[in-house]
Structures are given as C-alpha cells and as structure tokens.
Amino acid sequence: MTYSSQRVALYYFGGALVLFFVQVLVGVLAGAVYVMPNLLSETVPFNVIRMIHTNALIVWLLMGFMGATYYLLPEETETELHSPRLAILQFWLFFVAALVAVVGYLFGIHEGREFLEQPIYIKVGIVVVSLMFLYNCTLTLLKGRKTAVANVLMLGLWFVAIFFLFSFYNPGNLSLDKMYWWWVVHLWVEGVWELIMASILAYLMIKLTGVDREVVEKWLYVIVGLSLFTGILGTGHHYYWIGTPGYWKWIGSVFSTMEVVPFFAMVIFTFYMVWKGGRKHPNKAALLWSLGCAVIAFFGGGVWGFMHTLAPVNYYTHGTQVTAAHGHLAFYGAYVMLNVAMMTYAMPGLLKREVYNQTLNMWGFWLTTGGMCFMTFTLTFAGVVQTHLQRVMGMNYMEVQDQIALFFWYRLGSGVAVLLGVTLIIYSLAIPGREGGRVSTPQGAPNPAE
Amino acid sequence: MSERLTKSAARNIFYGGTLFFLAIFIALVVQSHLYILNVSSNNDRLTESIIRGKRLWEKNACIDCHTIMGEGAYFAPELSNVWDRFGGKDDPEGAREGLKGWFAAMPTGIEGRRQMPQFNLSDQDLDDLIDFLKWTSEIDDQNWPPTDAG
C-alpha cells in the first residue's frame, strides 16, 4: 500500500465480509427448508429467505468490487483518490441501504422481480451511491495515469450503473418485462462484470507475478474483447422461451457456446503469467485464490453454462436444478473467488501487517471450494433426474421433488461445509495472526506484501 | 502472445468489436420488441385486470418460490402453464374456481410438504391474478414447457 487514500477500501471489504457471512448463513437456511419444509414456513417463508440470500450476494460482490477499485485505483493512476471522505460517506449510505432492504424483506416490504426485489427508494439510493462512486473514481482516473487496467475497470463499472437503470422499466407485458430484465441480469454477470473480473485479475497478475505490464494489458484487452463479442449476443440464450422470435435459438446457442472461450483464456492467462513471471511473492494465498478464480469460473460459468445452453437441450433443462447448479458455481468461481483473491492480497497492507494467516486462509479456500463443487454435483444430479422425470416423462412437479430429496440432503451438507469454510476465510482475513501478525515467509525472511 | 498483435491494436479491436456487436444486439432487440407487441403476446388483449394481476404477482414475490416461463426460484411449480394444468382451455370457469380453492387452502400445514403462505387476497385480487396467469399461458413461447407438468 503506497497511497493513504487506499485505506477507504477497508470499509468496503469489512462491509462485504459481513454481508458474505449473512448470505451464506441464509443460504444454509434455505437449503434446510428444502429438506425440512415446515421450518419457519409461517414466519419467514422461503421466498423471503431466498431474496435475502441472492440480494446479500449481489450487494456484497458490488461492495467488494468498489473496495477493490478504491484500493487499486491510486496505485494504477499514481495519485490519491479524489475524495476519501466521499468514499467513506458512500460506503455508509450503501451499507445502511442494504441493511434497510434486508430488514424490510423480513417485514414483507419488497418488489417482486427476481434479484430486483429492492423497493423503489432503495433502487434510487443505489443509483445515488453509484453516482458518488463513479464521480469519485472517474475524477481520480482523469487526473492520474490512465492504464488499461484502470480504463477497463472503470468502463465496466460505468456500464454496471447504466444497465441497472433498466431495473426501473417494468412494463405490464410479461414478455417485454423479461426481455429488458435480462439487460440488467445477463449484461451484468455475463457482460460487464467480466470486464471488472478481468481487470482485477490483470492487476493481481502484475502485482503477484511481476510480469511486464505491457504483456498483461494486451491479454486484458483480448480477454474482455472475447467476453463482450460473445456475451452481448449470448444474451440470446435467455430469449428462447419468453415470447421472443425463434431466431434467438440460433443466435443464443452459437454465441453463448463461445462464451466459454474468454473463461478458458483467463485460465491460460493466469497460469501462463505465473509460469512466465517466476516471482516468489510471499502472499501465496492471494495467488491460490487468483488461479482458483480463473479455474472455477471456467468450470462454473463456462462448462456448466455450456452444458444446458444449446436451445434443444435447454428446452428440457430450463428452470430446473441444472440451472441452480450452474448459478451457484458460476457466481462462486467468477465473482466470490475474485473478491476473496483481492481481499487476501490487499488486507495485509490495509492492516499494516506482513502477510498473515496464510495457512488458515488456504484451508478456507479448499473447504469452501470443495463444498461448492460438491453442491454443484449434487444439484446437477438432481437436475438431470428432474429433467427426465418432469420434462420427458411428464411427472407432476411435487412428486419429482420427492424423488430427488436425497440430493437436497447432500446439498445441505455441502452448504454447511461452505459455511465453515467461509468462517475460516473471514477469520483469516479480518483477524491478524499470532506474533502480532508478523508471520514470516517460509524462507524466514520478512518480505513486503507488494 | 504473438508480437504481431500490439496492445493498441488489441484495444482498438476490443472497442470496435464491442460497438459492432452491441449495435446488432440493439437492432435485434428492437425487432423482438415489435414481435412481442404484434405477434407473440396478445398485447391487444392486455387488460387492466391482467396488469393488476402482474403487480400482485410481484407484490407477493411469487417468483422467489415459483418459476414463470422457467425463470424464478425452483422451489415450487412452474406457473406459465398452470392455467392449462387446471384445465382452463376446456373449462375456464372450473379452472378459475379450482385455482381460487387452491389459494384458499394454503397453507396446508401438512408435515413434510412445502408450504405456500396464505396471501389473504380478495376475490377481485384473485380474478386479476388468474387473468394474468391465463394471459401468460397464451403467449407464443416456442411451445415451452415440453409437458403439462411445467
């Protein structure tokens, strides 16, 4: 950490970790309701549990992206943030809005489009928060050095805000509603969020491997190019069965199949940079998370996405547990692991410590990643059986759910493993290690974190 | 990566290509917008009651348990064809009464069975919501879902 204004990232990482824990805890609760359906059914129905689970996820990921931006932007632009005080004010507004939304959900105060359940005043609040954030970061970028990492990151963040504006358009025609709803949901996670992901990974590669910036940034442009060339028209794989024209079956199938390519490129990129760089950075946990992020994003987003993206396959699998399996591993690999990678890298500097709790952090990595993979396998099996019984044989929905109950027990078990893993991760990030946090590198020589 | 591709060339390809694909996407979405209004969704029969029904669907966050046209949570049955499942095509009055009876019976309280909350909807609300589900079942959605089970 070279610039004092980078410290505002600590607020965002702290807030993100709190919501991360809430998200996973409530996720385990939702998994428990699947196998014990009378649990809380009169007080907190499943739909409320589920919206807290998904909304907490989205908010903490965004909060993490903002923290990452505030952390890396001064280093990239070689200048202090425009206004650290505005950044802190913006954090509290965002965090309080998130808490108000969650408490409101418990009392039945929500709108009812999936992932966009926030009441209108919370949505307006999110726009205000975004404007404060973009104003602060854009002015920082304008007065400093303009690297490809900073430019691509800011481009991604601007379009996150722009596409969010479609959440205010809710026509009475359900087909139209769905078509533009995907402008927020798909163009975020399979579009501009990938810009954020690739640029943060590029930053971490520069720092952790020591490979020349010119090389890393050329890769960055190629990867984000592949992401958007495939991802924009890849939106078509959501336009098969909602009343849109039949040609989307071709466009969606072809382009969303190619969405695997940028994810594969990120795997090649990260491993090649590590191999080529050869720098022994002491923060091994941050490197593990960065490589893990690229690999699991490739499997969760790329492979599990491709598995059910072709229209003739999707006709049968659409809206089954196959979708749930893909959703869980894709979000975990691409965005959860990215945020944890960045936090693992940045926290020692922010807390003014040498790298610490590396072993604990890596145990958290394996336990959480193992749990998420197992959860994905069980949901995939559940989805395959469900697809056959319900979509081919035509068996009644609830009877099918009884047939796949065993998989939901396994899913609950893997959820508990994830909760334990996440607890380890949060502890290892937030609580400095023994000996005053001065855990030295294996060679015994204290190494700077950067 | 090959020396032939410079960083500025990669950057230009990224910006140019993105604008190109975005332009195609926007053009196709405009065409799809018109297709939905004029061809697939019976927009001319989109009554006030159906729109009120959609707002009730949203107010009660039905989509966080159910799916509709395959989108939503996967905790409860698909509802874009619930009208057909209740026999609405042959006996609209019977289907409407059947659905109202279903709402009235919730929650069942049966041990070990997923519970739907009691939403305390008025008769007018129920008619609006059922009109919305009926209208949705009539959207031309490339014959999805494959079976009546949804």
Side-chain angles (χ1 to χ4, degrees), chain A residues 78-376:
Chain A
E78 297 182 331
T79 172
E80 295 285 357
L81 287 176
H82 173 68
S83 169
R85 290 179 64 183
L86 184 66
I88 293 170
L89 178 67
Q90 182 223 327
F91 165 76
W92 285 114
L93 256 178
F94 195 22
F95 193 65
V96 169
L99 291 184
V100 168
V102 168
V103 173
Y105 291 168
L106 290 170
F107 290 95
I109 303 165
H110 49 69
E111 293 185 12
R113 290 193 301 158
E114 196 186 4
F115 311 134
L116 303 179
E117 290 93 345
Q118 313 81 30
I120 186 88
Y121 49 88
I122 298 285
K123 284 199 180 80
V124 172
I126 292 170
V127 171
V128 172
V129 164
S130 306
L131 287 175
M132 291 165 80
F133 173 71
L134 291 170
Y135 167 82
N136 208 348
C137 294
T138 305
L139 284 192
T140 308
L141 180 63
L142 286 178
K143 72 174 174 175
R145 184 177 65 148
K146 289 155 198 71
T147 65
V149 169
N151 286 343
V152 171
L153 179 63
M154 288 311 299
L155 184 73
L157 292 164
W158 266 100
F159 275 90
V160 167
I162 289 167
F163 287 128
F164 183 70
L165 296 178
F166 283 89
S167 72
F168 292 92
Y169 176 59
N170 183 6
N173 184 315
L174 183 68
S175 288
L176 280 186
D177 169 3
K178 284 175 176 292
M179 187 165 73
Y180 293 103
W181 178 82
W182 283 114
W183 280 55
V184 187
V185 178
H186 174 96
L187 291 179
W188 270 24
V189 299
E190 292 173 60
V192 293
W193 280 32
E194 285 184 45
L195 267 54
I196 298 170
M197 177 187 174
S199 53
I200 292 178
L201 274 182
Y203 168 82
L204 288 170
M205 287 301 116
I206 292 171
K207 297 290 172 178
L208 293 171
T209 68
V211 171
D212 187 56
R213 175 181 288 277
E214 282 299 305
V215 178
V216 171
E217 292 192 332
K218 191 159 70 177
W219 271 92
L220 174 61
Y221 277 124
V222 171
I223 289 168
V224 293
L226 289 170
S227 297
L228 292 189
F229 299 171
T230 60
I232 292 173
L233 285 173
T235 316
H237 69 175
H238 302 293
Y239 291 173
Y240 296 157
W241 327 114
I242 61 169
T244 30
Y247 58 71
W248 286 110
K249 285 191 250 184
W250 281 100
I251 296 172
S253 296
V254 170
F255 281 89
S256 68
T257 297
M258 292 193 294
E259 281 183 45
V260 184
V261 177
F263 282 118
F264 189 65
M266 279 193 255
V267 177
I268 304 290
F269 164 62
T270 48
F271 279 81
Y272 180 56
M273 289 303 114
V274 171
W275 173 75
K276 190 179 158 99
R279 178 198 278 188
K280 291 277 177 283
H281 194 283
N283 200 332
K284 293 198 170 52
L287 192 60
L288 179 66
W289 280 105
S290 304
L291 296 174
C293 171
V295 171
I296 302 294
F298 167 67
F299 280 103
V303 178
W304 254 257
F306 171 69
M307 202 161 64
H308 59 142
T309 202
L310 297 174
V313 175
N314 192 262
Y315 184 65
Y316 293 98
T317 60
H318 181 47
T320 63
Q321 295 296 331
V322 172
T323 320
H326 160 61
H328 279 87
L329 199 63
F331 261 97
Y332 175 70
Y335 303 122
V336 173
M337 295 182 88
L338 178 75
N339 266 308
V340 179
M342 187 65 196
M343 289 183 205
T344 302
Y345 172 74
M347 278 304 223
L350 288 169
L351 295 177
K352 295 195 169 70
R353 308 269 177 168
E354 301 300 334
V355 289
Y356 58 84
N357 282 340
Q358 293 273 291
T359 313
L360 203 59
N361 185 307
M362 289 194 242
W363 274 104
F365 171 93
W366 290 110
L367 187 56
T368 312
T369 305
M372 287 308 299
C373 289
F374 195 80
M375 182 185 298
T376 303

Side-chain angles (χ1 to χ4, degrees), chain A residues 38 110 112 117 170-173 177-178 180 182 217-218 243 247-249 315 318 390-391 397 401, chain B residues 5 7 31-33 40-41 43 54-55 58-59 64 68-69 71 74 110 112 114 143-144 147 150:
Chain A
N38 305 83
H110 49 69
E117 290 93 345
N170 183 6
N173 184 315
D177 169 3
K178 284 175 176 292
Y180 293 103
W182 283 114
E217 292 192 332
K218 191 159 70 177
Y247 58 71
W248 286 110
K249 285 191 250 184
Y315 184 65
H318 181 47
Q390 185 181 322
R391 295 287 168 70
Y397 176 90
Q401 294 295 306
Chain B
L5 180 70
K7 190 170 102 180
Q31 199 275 337
S32 300
H33 188 115
S40 66
S41 77
N43 195 61
K54 181 170 184 281
R55 300 302 170 215
E58 290 163 1
K59 179 169 173 284
D64 279 297
I68 191 159
M69 304 179 105
E71 292 161 8
Y74 318 106
I110 298 170
R114 294 181 194 170
N143 293 319
W144 195 88
T147 66

